[in-house]
Amino acid sequence: MMRNPVPAKVIRAAVLGMVLFLGAIAFTHTTITTSRTNSPQISYTLRSQRPQLEQTWVVSALEAKALVDQGATFLDARGNQWFGLKRLSGSVPVRWQDFSPSNKVRKGTLLDSDAVLNQKLRKLGISQERPVVVFANPLQGWGEEGRIVWMLRSLGHPQAVMVDGGYSALVSLNLTAPDMPKQGDFEVQRNPTWQIQKSELKAALDQPNLVLIDTRTPKEYAGATPYGEQRRGHVPGAISLHFQDLLTPQGQLLPRDQIVAKLANLGITQETVVVAYCTGGIRSGWLTVVLADLGFQVQNYAGSMWEWSAGSPAEYPLTVQSQVSKAVGDVPE
């Protein structure tokens, strides 16, 4: 016995219903995926006009390329330059250690001799009127690009900038730097605005509007000493903010509003006086550059823990804090 055939209109309705159902699922999945992965973020360096370098400390990779094309000195601050690092065209390797004493206690500070600094900086091709663009590896490094920019600004160069995203952001741009003079004419004129000495920090610790930032890892803040500090802990009253907490997983700076919000949660505003430190003023130099770019009052304590921990415990105390002791209180050392 033959069954009655299903009317064509019923089949069409069923097919249409299935198509609409599957389409709705696909649309919903696409919408959710897009909202999770492609939500727009405003780049830290997004701006509508050319940056004024005297007030700008951080530039995008495209802005860096434009500066290099126009003759800026181009410095590669990535660690040791002799172990297989691929160089960008026209870049000159630079090491922060070459501008600091070899003495273990003071190796985070800058050299005292302006004449020696002049000679070293001129050898890199640095001139007073020519911008300096510095890059490194923000995620793999220690903030070396920030240290070099902080150093140059503190020695009187008004147009030193670091590249947001560093090498990874620049490598795809096919940079071709023009030939640069082998010798610069830079003349050191020290500017104390963005630096603080050990004695000055000691005297300022009780100031009510001072916020002291320890830019090392939380483990170092709590008491680990992996880099030769003579005593462990952090400077009393310091808050912990690892410098890489301001980076995206791709190594670029978080959007400005997110960084400002993070700082506000730590009690840091435009009226706050900020001092940053780390082990030897490298990571804290990087943070100083970012905060200065955002318009904050900030100083780098370059001597940092190498210098501070070498002082007497009575004059230069440190606080040791374990993960458990956070709820109980700090234990001075």
Side-chain angles (χ1 to χ4, degrees), residues 22-333:
L22 293 175
I25 292 176
F27 176 78
T28 301
H29 174 75
T30 302
T31 302
I32 293 174
T33 303
T34 301
S35 65
R36 286 178 179 171
T37 61
N38 296 327
S39 56
Q41 280 196 333
I42 299 176
S43 168
Y44 177 91
T45 52
L46 181 66
R47 44 184 146 247
S48 58
Q49 55 189 349
R50 181 177 177 178
Q52 299 298 313
L53 296 188
E54 288 78 6
Q55 291 80 42
T56 302
W57 294 54
V58 182
V59 296
S60 69
L62 287 173
E63 289 169 336
K65 183 181 187 304
L67 290 169
V68 171
D69 288 345
Q70 295 161 15
T73 305
F74 193 33
L75 300 183
D76 182 347
R78 293 176 297 166
N80 192 317
Q81 300 294 323
W82 305 108
F83 285 89
L85 292 179
K86 186 176 180 181
R87 290 272 305 279
L88 293 177
S89 173
S91 64
V92 179
V94 60
R95 298 171 68 248
W96 67 265
Q97 294 93 331
D98 293 336
F99 306 93
S100 297
S102 57
N103 177 280
K104 184 176 181 180
V105 172
R106 300 194 65 245
K107 64 182 177 180
T109 63
L110 296 177
L111 291 170
D112 293 327
S113 172
D114 288 358
V116 173
L117 288 169
N118 280 333
Q119 182 183 29
K120 288 175 175 289
L121 293 169
R122 291 172 184 175
K123 191 174 180 180
L124 293 173
I126 295 176
S127 295
Q128 191 72 30
E129 302 301 324
R130 185 183 302 125
V132 181
V133 175
V134 191
F135 71 92
N137 275 330
L139 287 178
Q140 291 78 36
W142 298 89
E144 295 94 340
E145 68 273 57
R147 165 70 179 214
I148 296 297
V149 169
W150 165 82
M151 176 189 75
L152 290 171
R153 294 273 184 159
S154 296
L155 294 178
H157 199 297
Q159 299 185 82
V161 295
M162 75 176 189
V163 183
D164 184 21
Y167 176 84
S168 298
L170 290 166
V171 70
S172 63
L173 297 182
N174 297 318
L175 279 161
T176 304
D179 292 335
M180 301 299 298
K182 299 298 183 183
Q183 188 77 9
D185 62 6
F186 182 72
E187 188 75 32
V188 169
Q189 296 180 0
R190 295 186 188 247
N191 185 338
T193 302
W194 303 288
Q195 57 185 316
I196 190 169
Q197 306 302 324
K198 179 176 70 171
S199 58
E200 295 172 326
L201 176 57
K202 181 176 180 291
L205 286 179
D206 294 331
Q207 291 183 3
N209 66 330
L210 174 71
V211 175
L212 188 58
I213 300 179
D214 188 319
T215 64
R216 302 174 299 164
T217 64
K219 288 184 178 179
E220 293 172 84
Y221 176 84
T225 56
Y227 307 114
E229 301 91 331
Q230 295 190 30
R231 289 181 292 128
R232 63 195 185 104
H234 58 266
V235 179
I239 58 177
S240 177
L241 176 64
H242 187 222
F243 81 107
Q244 290 184 337
D245 288 346
L246 302 186
L247 295 173
T248 69
Q250 293 74 39
Q252 293 184 305
L253 283 163
L254 294 170
R256 289 172 179 263
D257 59 343
Q258 291 186 26
I259 294 178
V260 171
K262 278 180 175 285
L263 296 173
N265 287 336
L266 296 172
I268 300 170
T269 67
Q270 298 288 340
E271 288 72 41
T272 308
V273 176
V274 180
V275 172
Y277 75 90
C278 56
T279 305
I282 315 307
R283 291 173 282 186
S284 54
W286 184 93
L287 183 66
T288 299
V289 167
V290 174
L291 295 192
D293 186 73
L294 289 168
F296 288 87
Q297 304 175 66
V298 59
Q299 295 175 307
N300 181 25
Y301 172 36
S304 284
M305 281 292 289
W306 278 331
E307 184 179 59
W308 188 274
S309 68
S312 69
E315 288 190 84
Y316 302 99
L318 288 170
T319 296
V320 178
Q321 183 177 32
S322 68
Q323 297 301 314
V324 176
S325 70
K326 284 186 177 182
V328 179
D330 294 341
V331 181
E333 184 184 65

